[in-house]
Amino acid sequence: MLSFRKMHGLGNDFVVLDGRAAPLGLTRAQMVALADRRRGIGCDQLIILEPPPVGADVFMRIHNPDGSEAGACGNATRCIASLIAAETGKARVVVRTISGDLPSESRPDGLWQVDMGPARLGWRDVPLAREVDTLHLPLSCGPVADPAACSMGNPHATFFVPDLDALPISDIGPRLEHDPIFPDRANIGFVQVMAPDHVRLVVWERGAGLTLACGSGACAAMVNAHRRGLTGRAARISMPGGDLLMEWRQDGHVLMTGTFATAFTGQVDPKALAA
């Protein structure tokens, strides 16, 4: 039997598997089956812990529900940092991903703050299919147009809209995710600015669809809103699952602060999963 832990950050939920002792050897089909909300455990991302490389406390591998690999996940990072802290007694944990290190700190108020690293603003960094201004992409779909783009270890495009609730996100989200301008597809954020220090955000996640919260999407929203002159360098990002506190520091790094939770633990029979 394969032990798992179901965790979430603001409702952005994860199945966490521990592969530090030995490789789990899961096939892509098995990962898709685990993520299925009707026939499996169900999650926005499957997280596999691997042995810590030099300079880090754990390696976190992230898979989307379609089995594709993601480079970063801020909400999962807070969850995993809390697990490693409970094991080691450390108040500061370094989580490594394929996109780099994510130093994380426990705060006295019980929240975790993650340094999500620098926002990458070049068109090749996102990446985009051709050279364009990442502050104003020549992209539109239905009622939305003129997004800004950046990379937070994974590609993001942020649209700014007057009324978030009026958008047909389930319709336009997948079309924008797969637009040819994004060779690796993209996470698509929709932002309504409420005040210079408060925005609302809904994200259509690459490979996952609509989620209650997206940590890297909140980072991109913070960065792109400030680049457009719509907010200061710090803001509260309100998503359907709750709020994150964001800061884009002068050195380019983005700090994300929020909660984490364990929903339940259990075991699953790998032989019952898709071959």
Side-chain angles (χ1 to χ4, degrees):
M1 299 294 286
L2 186 63
S3 296
F4 70 89
R5 181 183 296 264
K6 182 71 178 289
M7 303 189 76
H8 72 89
L10 304 180
N12 187 195
D13 63 336
F14 317 102
V15 171
V16 181
L17 303 174
D18 194 343
R20 288 176 291 178
L24 299 180
L26 294 175
T27 65
R28 182 164 181 161
Q30 287 175 322
M31 290 188 282
V32 170
L34 276 170
D36 190 292
R37 295 191 181 278
R38 295 184 182 274
R39 301 177 184 275
I41 302 167
C43 62
D44 291 326
Q45 273 88 28
L46 180 70
I47 306 298
I48 300 177
L49 305 185
E50 296 181 5
V54 175
D57 295 288
V58 68
F59 187 92
M60 177 176 73
R61 197 168 296 278
I62 310 160
H63 289 278
N64 293 314
D66 63 2
S68 62
E69 192 167 1
C73 181
N75 289 320
T77 302
R78 296 196 311 278
C79 292
I80 300 311
S82 72
L83 288 182
I84 302 303
E87 292 177 0
T88 63
K90 293 182 176 181
R92 187 178 186 278
V93 171
V94 176
V95 179
R96 184 165 296 174
T97 72
I98 61 172
S99 294
D101 287 352
L102 300 172
S104 309
E105 269 187 61
S106 176
R107 300 200 333 174
D109 56 9
L111 303 179
W112 274 83
Q113 182 177 83
V114 180
D115 181 347
M116 294 290 289
R120 301 172 181 90
L121 308 179
W123 70 273
R124 289 186 179 89
D125 298 322
V126 176
L128 301 176
R130 61 186 187 276
E131 184 175 1
V132 296
D133 180 4
T134 62
L135 193 55
H136 295 281
L137 296 194
L139 177 64
S140 64
C141 185
V144 300
D146 188 32
C150 71
S151 171
M152 290 303 311
N154 47 11
H156 287 272
T158 308
F159 289 87
F160 298 94
V161 301
D163 184 0
L164 200 55
D165 299 322
L167 294 181
I169 295 177
S170 294
D171 175 41
I172 62 178
R175 286 191 278 162
L176 290 164
E177 173 193 350
H178 292 272
D179 190 273
I181 200 169
F182 304 117
D184 296 337
R185 297 181 293 157
N187 300 278
I188 310 298
F190 303 91
V191 165
Q192 181 179 351
V193 178
M194 311 303 290
D197 61 353
H198 180 213
V199 306
R200 292 180 61 206
L201 168 68
V202 175
V203 178
W204 179 271
E205 287 200 50
R206 178 181 62 167
L210 277 173
T211 56
L212 292 177
C214 177
S216 62
C219 295
M222 174 79 265
V223 168
N224 288 329
H226 181 72
R227 293 172 72 204
R228 286 281 183 92
L230 300 173
T231 67
R233 299 193 76 96
R236 174 166 57 98
I237 310 293
S238 295
M239 294 170 284
D243 293 355
L244 289 174
L245 303 178
M246 308 297 308
E247 179 186 357
W248 188 21
R249 293 191 320 211
Q250 293 288 346
D251 66 358
H253 284 237
V254 184
L255 301 184
M256 175 195 63
T257 303
T259 62
F260 64 92
T262 294
F264 58 89
T265 61
Q267 292 183 315
V268 63
D269 183 357
K271 295 177 182 177
L273 302 175

